[in-house]
Amino acid sequence: MIPSAARVAALALSLTGLASGTLYQNAESLPKATNYDFIIVGGGAGGTVVANRLTENPRTKVLLIEAGSSDFNNLDIEVPSFAPRLGRTQFDWNFTTLGQPGLNGRSIEYQRGFVLGGSTAVNIMAYCRGSKDDYDRWAEVTGDEGWSWNSLQPYIRKIENPVAPADHHNTQGEIDLSVHGHGGPVNFSLPGQLLPTDQRVIGASLELSTEFPFNLDYNSGDTIGIGWTQTTTSNGHRVDAANSYLAPVLSRSNLDILVNTLVTKVVQTGTQRGGEPIFRGVEFASSSSGARFTRSASQEVILSAGAIKTPQILMLSGIGDSSHLSSLGVKTIVNVPDVGTNLQDHPLSTISWTVRSTNTLDNVRTNETLAAELLQQWNSSRTGDLVLGPGNQLGWLRLPNNASIFKQAADPSAGPTSAHYEFIPTDSFVSFSQPFPSQGNFFTMFSNLISPSSRGNITLNSTDPFAHPLIQPNMLSTEFDIFTMREAIKAARRFMSAQSWSDWIIEETSPTSAAQTDEEIEEYIRSTCFTVNHVTCTAPMGRTGSNGRGSGALNSDLTVKGTIGLRVVDASAFPFIPAAHTQVPTYILAERAADMIKSGF
Ligand SMILES: Cc1cc2nc3c(=O)[nH]c(=O)nc-3n(C[C@H](O)[C@H](O)[C@H](O)COP(=O)(O)OP(=O)(O)OC[C@H]3O[C@@H](n4cnc5c(N)ncnc54)[C@H](O)[C@@H]3O)c2cc1C
Ligand SMILES: *[C@@H]1O[C@H](CO)[C@@H](O)[C@H](O)[C@H]1NC(C)=O
Ligand SMILES: *[C@@H]1O[C@H](CO)[C@@H](O)[C@H](O)[C@H]1NC(C)=O
Ligand SMILES: *[C@@H]1O[C@H](CO)[C@@H](O)[C@H](O)[C@H]1NC(C)=O
Ligand SMILES: *[C@@H]1O[C@H](CO)[C@@H](O)[C@H](O)[C@H]1NC(C)=O
Ligand SMILES: *[C@@H]1O[C@H](CO)[C@@H](O)[C@H](O)[C@H]1NC(C)=O
Ligand SMILES: *[C@@H]1O[C@H](CO)[C@@H](O)[C@H](O)[C@H]1NC(C)=O
Ligand SMILES: *[C@@H]1O[C@H](CO)[C@@H](O)[C@H](O)[C@H]1NC(C)=O
């Protein structure tokens, strides 16, 4: 770890210098006299978009409250390839799941960002919108055509700004710029350093094009195939919700940001004539033993605390399943059975091979001299291996239509443009079960289940808002899910057997190589698989007006069912997880949400 004190100090100066009083470091310092139109809880992918868009109107006064710090310019956040260092640090909530029956009872670390920028400040930066079918399914289940792929196009394009890769290589044939917007706050780029494996991945796709077709741009609406990775990186550094949506608007005098402060619940501030409770208040504190403060918004409270904390806050506030709430002695104010249910995530597995080359990214890990040189290179020119995010290509793939599983299970994918599983080809060793070898050169294929049918949940363990809720992702709890993970491993072996790899790959390493029969592969997956950290769907939107279990926790405009003045704008609100990494779908949801809020204001 090399935190740069100078950089941190410079940031603190710029944050406080731009508009004095805008950034408050603790709850005590927030002026009592300020009246807010909106209070946003959580400064991650959802909350920053809403804070940015609502304060475009200078007459709208907004308070954004973030539990983590404002230290988003930390070197470990900025350097793209340092992303794997961020778990279990000051930037992590340090969640752990319950033992998962589908993973042989294992509990796993469940990372979430604890800093302005939220999980976008700690993620692995894959830039993926999801597919046309993913959004068309959202429109169908909510009865709201505004969530369809076509209707969302203005928001999808408004987010983004394609920029040159760090090495300024010619990107012809790697992206279809005609499907992208430009001039938006989120810069993204193609891989900033080319690798010897790149043309082998593309070559294998051309060679085995029936099963692994090349796709010029997986963000076109049709994701299927192998294509070049787009990442939230710009000029060799990470782009997150804090430096894209927040930093440029910190000088707005109508935006106040309070960090290091946990919202402990939302507070009922009145009752509407029809009897519906109004929730325009929030309670917050800077430490578990510290004073509790309350503030209310004249218009709305917007929960953007992410898919673990948003349902916890709702439940602590008396909004949730009444039988669950009463089991903890929480008085139910609104019975919304779907709060905390419907959790969806993407399980992740790996296979590695030894390779004939000595030139792989493993060297950055095994050779300290090289690592120091690369850091110096990054520091002086923002180039070199450290600008890289996940693999330089991604693959989005479907099971064949005649796969035997479809005789017993419905297809959980949204449709033909959504993948069942994803490949992330990687030029080094990665494993969730084995230590890094101290020497050697490797290739790894991550495969992850991108259209899962398993469902988990978030429940309360305690009424203490500073305690973690119980997190049960319940991964690989259906036949479809384990079948597809198994088929993904077999597909990875077929992909790597292409001629294109013959001069590179030596052999598959243990322990996967020992897994040959379906039973052995299944056991390998259940005993080693991890997560892509895409927890979502825990306060799902549904049809406006419909009530009861399975009808959603939110109306299709993201207001919480049975309440007035309270909305959820984050990845909790997805009804189904998109067949994609989930930051861009959160930005998309939040851009439309901000427009809905503004038009009703
Ligand atoms: C390790 C990792 C890797 C990932 N890789 C990728 C990837 O490569 N590509 C991709 O697209 N997605 C990736 N994701 C997922 C993506 O980052 C998330 O889906 C997205 O950030 C979700 O946005 P959100 O607004 O729902 O929550 P977040 O971005 O997590 O924001 C929630 C914010 O609320 C704050 N908060 C929570 N509770 C409170 C409270 N009570 N009071 C005040 N503030 C609170 C949190 O500190 C946080 O800042 C990854 C995530 C992780 C953790
Ligand atoms: C998570 O753990 C790290 C390492 O122990 C610690 O520094 C950090 O403060 C913890 N995060 C939170 C939110 O408590
Ligand atoms: C995005 O790119 C533009 C140039 O196109 C640059 O001015 C801006 O600082 C970049 N933003 C981030 C967050 O990197
Ligand atoms: C480690 O990296 C340095 C700098 O690139 C290089 O000179 C050296 O040969 C490398 N060491 C090994 C063992 O490969
Ligand atoms: C980056 O370069 C600056 C200026 O040359 C130097 O002060 C700083 O220590 C360097 N940081 C790292 C992490 O190398
Ligand atoms: C599916 O169809 C392909 C091509 O027609 C065939 O080779 C394969 O055996 C079939 N698989 C199953 C499970 O029926
Ligand atoms: C949460 O999920 C677990 C495991 O599937 C289940 O046993 C439990 O009943 C669920 N709890 C609630 C409140 O839905
Ligand atoms: C749930 O609460 C109990 C009692 O406080 C505690 O011992 C336990 O560790 C908690 N469980 C989890 C998963 O946090």
Side-chain angles (χ1 to χ4, degrees), residues 276-565:
E276 283 176 314
I278 303 169
F279 281 93
R280 295 205 174 101
V282 295
E283 183 192 82
F284 51 92
S286 283
S287 70
S288 128
S289 57
R292 297 295 196 264
F293 298 81
T294 53
R295 281 315 262 273
S296 47
S298 63
Q299 297 298 322
E300 281 189 16
V301 168
I302 293 156
L303 285 180
S304 302
I308 293 174
K309 297 297 288 186
T310 285
Q312 182 190 19
I313 294 169
L314 287 169
M315 290 186 277
L316 289 172
S317 313
I319 303 166
D321 179 66
S322 57
S323 60
H324 175 56
L325 296 189
S326 63
S327 72
L328 279 124
V330 176
K331 182 172 165 289
T332 301
I333 301 176
V334 198
N335 181 26
V336 188
D338 283 0
V339 171
T341 64
N342 196 50
L343 186 160
Q344 295 169 47
D345 193 3
H346 293 144
L348 179 66
S349 200
T350 66
I351 322 183
S352 299
W353 291 264
T354 50
V355 304
R356 269 177 236 289
S357 171
T358 54
N359 177 23
T360 64
L361 292 174
D362 296 287
N363 299 350
V364 186
R365 189 183 64 249
T366 54
N367 183 338
E368 284 178 26
T369 315
L370 176 64
E373 277 176 11
L374 287 169
L375 182 57
Q376 205 168 23
Q377 181 185 357
W378 183 85
N379 197 23
S380 62
S381 67
R382 298 289 190 273
T383 59
D385 290 345
L386 301 193
V387 306
L388 293 174
N392 281 0
Q393 292 77 32
L394 298 176
W396 307 91
L397 300 158
R398 287 181 63 81
L399 298 171
N401 291 334
N402 66 351
S404 62
I405 190 68
F406 295 126
K407 294 205 185 83
Q408 61 177 105
D411 181 354
S413 79
T417 62
S418 292
H420 292 124
Y421 61 92
E422 179 190 0
F423 277 173
I424 309 180
T426 304
D427 177 40
S428 67
F429 187 83
V430 188
S431 166
F432 303 122
S433 57
Q434 287 181 295
F436 280 116
S438 57
Q439 54 185 17
N441 295 86
F442 300 86
F443 185 85
T444 299
M445 184 68 91
F446 286 93
S447 33
N448 85 63
L449 175 66
I450 205 82
S451 291
S453 63
S454 296
R455 297 290 181 267
N457 59 28
I458 303 286
T459 52
L460 294 178
N461 188 34
S462 127
T463 54
D464 175 4
F466 283 85
H468 292 175
L470 298 176
I471 302 167
Q472 177 49 278
N474 217 9
M475 285 192 268
L476 303 183
S477 58
T478 63
E479 271 306 309
F480 176 86
D481 287 2
I482 190 65
F483 177 93
T484 305
M485 282 297 269
R486 213 164 53 206
E487 292 308 307
I489 297 269
K490 295 188 211 167
R493 287 175 172 160
R494 287 193 297 275
F495 185 74
M496 297 308 293
S497 70
Q499 264 311 108
S500 154
W501 291 108
S502 60
D503 65 340
W504 192 261
I505 294 299
I506 302 173
E507 60 180 1
E508 193 179 323
T509 59
S510 63
T512 19
S513 54
Q516 293 301 325
T517 66
D518 279 1
E519 291 68 28
E520 287 163 354
I521 299 173
E522 173 169 343
E523 179 49 29
Y524 170 74
I525 294 166
R526 291 197 190 280
S527 62
T528 63
C529 105
F530 192 61
T531 171
V532 198
N533 289 294
H534 289 167
V535 58
T536 53
C537 307
T538 52
M541 59 173 148
R543 274 173 198 268
T544 298
S546 66
N547 288 308
R549 194 170 293 282
S551 65
L554 312 177
N555 297 309
S556 75
D557 63 1
L558 308 178
T559 52
V560 178
K561 292 201 168 180
T563 71
I564 303 289

